[in-house]
Amino acid sequence: MTNSQQPYGNRRTPLPPAQSPTPGAPSTESASKVPSPNTESLRGDRSAPSGRQRDAFFDNAKYLAIVLVAVGHAWEPLKGDSRVLEAAYTVVYSFHMPAFIIISGFFSRSFDMRPDRLRRLITGVAVPYIVFETAYPLFRRVVDDAPEQKISLLDPWYLTWFLVALFVWRLTTPIWNAVRHPLPLALGIAMLASATPAIGDDLDLQRVLQFLPYFVLGLCMRPDHFHLVRRRSVRIAAAPVFVVALAFGWWAVPRMNTAWFYHRDAAQELGAPWWAGPVMVLAMFGCSLLLTACFFAWVPGRRTWFTALGAGTLYGYLLHGFVVKAGDYRGWFEHPVLHRPLGEIAVSVLAAVVVTLLCTAPVRRVFRFVMEPRMEWAFKRDAAEAARVRERQERKGTREKVSV
């Protein structure tokens, strides 16, 4: 969820994203079985730990969500000419980011300050943020011939805000696991943030705080909660819900500021009274949860041709922005044909194909050194982790002897 037309800081639109098991940004480990709490939501992992199996539902959900993210970004330069496209854009933006964040929270439930998990948080989130926060401005300097473009690690560029948010959310996980009523507290913080323009643009803290309730909700969820929304009755009910949402989105196009869906500004910055911020936070939280539940209801739980791509959603997320931005800088979206229904459909399909390719294994192998750097040289040796490795090796050796 990031506004490709406004390249810097809180002047952009949102996306997430997302990793799998024990990582720290979109996810650095594999999204193993549903019970496994150490997974992230966006990040592509290496192979799943022995004895664990990735849950197809979560990989499917991450892949489908990242496709919606890419398609939404491709619609941004086109939606001004079509009320229908603007309505579809509004509906997609109301749930694709919450879906990513809820999954991220779900797989962060067991995060603590253990050294190995902190290392994964740094290598899986902080390092990619630094790399891409530098790469996007440099890309604009070259492709858009904008040598004046500055590089600032404090003002997330385009879609890198999600990595900042995930880093902060994950660090605060022990707090949310300790308090008695985490979700009401997170909602209260989001409501206060929405009425506090003094928070400013640094690190996109408005987004960090306003999207916080979705992450905390994920922390509070259990596997059976996902099973509830995957019942046949919910799948059937999801169809009319989306139809109504699209109709409402069409009605709201001339009446509502789309920037509310980005959660990047306080109410006063959107020209509304301060009390509108808390009201909109609650209203959009309810609407987003409803549509997210409908989205989850339609996600297949079995293995499909795209299930394996769910392990590479961080790659698709961070890399597709270069394609969208190149089109924006070079004027590709200005062609009249693309502003007609068939052109809009073609752009949507192309965006889905591009992000799919960016999630594939060959792309992950090429960019793994950036997305999943090992960096053993940067950290002290963890005696406890070494002991755990030795214990696992000893158990494995014992099992092999017994089998012989």
Side-chain angles (χ1 to χ4, degrees):
M1 294 170 66
T2 9
N3 192 338
S4 63
Q5 304 308 304
Q6 304 179 41
Y8 238 118
N10 280 6
R11 306 291 168 253
R12 295 174 272 43
T13 347
L15 160 61
Q19 284 183 273
S20 286
T22 131
S27 205
T28 232
E29 298 194 8
S30 26
S32 44
K33 281 189 175 177
V34 177
S36 169
N38 284 335
T39 14
E40 305 209 339
S41 67
L42 260 181
R43 176 174 190 145
D45 337 300
R46 302 179 177 94
S47 56
S50 61
R52 290 180 179 180
Q53 244 182 341
R54 294 182 65 96
D55 187 280
F57 168 78
F58 290 104
D59 277 335
N60 292 339
K62 290 191 294 180
Y63 166 75
L64 294 174
I66 202 65
V67 168
L68 291 176
V69 166
V71 171
H73 286 164
W75 284 348
E76 285 173 8
L78 308 175
K79 62 185 177 66
D81 297 326
S82 170
R83 187 169 176 176
V84 173
L85 189 63
E86 182 94 38
Y89 176 89
T90 298
V91 172
V92 167
Y93 262 67
S94 66
F95 74 87
H96 72 357
M97 221 27 242
F100 261 130
I101 297 170
I102 287 172
I103 294 176
S104 296
F106 179 72
F107 284 114
S108 299
R109 292 170 299 163
S110 68
F111 181 84
D112 53 27
M113 296 299 179
R114 213 171 70 183
D116 61 318
R117 289 174 178 163
L118 288 174
R119 285 199 300 271
R120 282 191 290 269
L121 179 61
I122 293 171
T123 59
V125 183
V127 171
Y129 171 73
I130 293 171
V131 170
F132 283 89
E133 183 63 12
T134 302
Y136 271 106
L138 290 177
F139 182 75
R140 189 187 176 208
R141 286 185 185 182
V142 174
V143 178
D144 196 28
D145 191 22
E148 75 285 354
Q149 180 60 61
K150 297 179 181 179
I151 298 174
S152 172
L153 297 182
L154 293 179
D155 195 6
W157 172 276
Y158 195 33
L159 40 67
T160 58
W161 72 267
F162 183 70
L163 297 180
V164 172
L166 191 54
F167 188 87
V168 174
W169 295 333
R170 186 168 288 275
L171 279 181
T172 61
T173 294
I175 298 175
W176 302 113
N177 287 335
V179 299
R180 189 180 295 274
H181 303 295
L183 186 55
L185 178 59
L187 275 170
I189 292 174
M191 293 166 67
L192 289 173
S194 69
T196 313
I199 288 176
D201 296 347
D202 288 350
L203 297 179
D204 263 7
L205 285 181
Q206 277 288 355
R207 278 177 176 166
V208 173
L209 297 177
Q210 290 192 37
F211 276 114
L212 174 63
Y214 301 99
F215 182 81
V216 174
L217 176 62
L219 290 175
C220 298
M221 292 183 71
R222 301 188 304 272
D224 51 299
H225 292 141
F226 290 95
H227 292 305
L228 286 175
V229 300
R230 293 163 61 190
R231 293 175 299 177
R232 188 169 185 271
S233 59
V234 181
R235 289 199 297 272
I236 294 174
V241 169
F242 273 116
V243 170
V244 171
L246 286 169
F248 179 81
W250 185 88
W251 173 86
V253 165
R255 299 173 174 87
M256 182 177 176
N257 189 341
T258 309
W260 284 108
F261 293 96
Y262 305 151
H263 296 284
R264 66 173 180 231
D265 299 302
Q268 297 92 320
E269 295 174 288
L270 297 178
W274 71 267
W275 54 264
V279 171
M280 288 298 291
V281 165
L282 287 178
M284 296 188 68
F285 185 73
C287 293
S288 295
L289 286 191
L290 177 61
L291 293 178
T292 299
C294 293
F295 169 71
F296 284 150
W298 284 354
V299 172
R302 65 185 185 283
R303 290 195 62 81
T304 66
W305 64 268
F306 56 79
T307 300
L309 300 176
T313 47
L314 177 62
Y315 294 78
Y317 175 63
L318 290 175
L319 295 173
H320 87 275
F322 290 105
V323 180
V324 175
K325 281 299 186 183
D328 189 17
Y329 299 150
R330 292 300 186 181
W332 300 343
F333 294 106
E334 296 173 7
H335 198 290
V337 173
L338 299 183
H339 292 259
R340 298 169 187 163
L342 287 180
E344 294 165 355
I345 293 173
V347 169
S348 304
V349 172
L350 182 60
V353 170
V354 168
V355 78
T356 297
L357 293 175
L358 294 176
C359 292
T360 57
V363 174
R364 301 206 303 265
R365 282 195 293 270
V366 171
F367 290 95
R368 180 162 289 153
F369 75 99
V370 172
M371 310 286 200
E372 303 176 77
R374 294 187 179 276
M375 296 180 62
E376 286 91 347
W377 54 268
F379 301 99
K380 295 179 180 178
R381 183 171 178 77
D382 180 13
E385 177 64 18
R388 285 192 291 270
V389 171
R390 284 197 301 272
E391 184 180 352
R392 286 196 295 268
Q393 291 174 341
E394 289 171 2
R395 284 201 301 267
K396 182 179 179 181
T398 302
R399 285 196 299 269
E400 292 174 348
K401 288 179 182 178
V402 171
S403 63
V404 172

